[in-house]
Amino acid sequence: MPDSPNTRTIAADPEGIAARLADVRRRIAEAARRAGRDPAQVRLIAVSKTKPAASVAAACAAGQAEFGENRVQEALAKFTALKPASPGLVLHLIGGLQTNKAREAVRLADVIHTLDRPRLADALAAAMAREGCRPRLLIEINTGAEPQKSGIPRDEADAFIDRCRARFGGLVIGLMCIPPLADDPRPHFEWLAACARRHGLRELSMGMSADFEAAIACGATMVRVGTAIFGAR
Ligand SMILES: *Cc1c(COP(=O)(O)O)cnc(C)c1O
């Protein structure tokens, strides 16, 4: 994917990134405590899509280890050099995934959040066998039934989760959702948490810049935060 003009012209602003990261971490810890949870149960994924590698490097320098990207090509461009140089770095792919990107995705990602359909399960299984890579997987559920969004529909979720676990075993670690922009996100987060409980899955990837505190109150274990760390896109 070509960079947008902004990603080339705006400096990374390492101090701003470090300050905003510290603020987001503090808000995560407070939200966890308010919910009676251990802040260490909530992992912050810094979403660096559209932002330059220099911004990722600035966040790394400020102690951030987990990053999220939407697009395989963009993630490859940014993280191929960074990953070997930063042993603790964990890369999450959080965008809808095309089957023809499965091989690159399993080679690059530590965690894929968007397993959402049988054909993608087939493609990922084949890619893992071929590449010898075993990323952990989350199943994305389209809790708002939005036609333009990826995610398995709610009423197909139970069967799909069972099939994926039978196939991938312990690599399936949890569930992910992106509530509709116009909705109160809480009922979506609560639905996802109940679904994970029903299946004995421990990870819940939910909450973004606008709603990560609500997500933590509902049990999020991974929050995906971009704008509040790196600034507007
Ligand atoms: C972009 C994106 C985010 C981060 O969104 P912000 O509102 O910038 O925090 C989180 N999750 C997914 C799937 C995204 O595409």
Side-chain angles (χ1 to χ4, degrees), residues 47 49 70 94-95 114 176 178 207-210 224-228 231 233:
V47 177
K49 66 182 181 212
N70 278 51
I94 62 173
T114 51
M176 180 268 215
I178 310 169
M208 319 200 327
S209 292
R224 310 177 308 266
V225 178
T227 309
R233 287 183 293 272

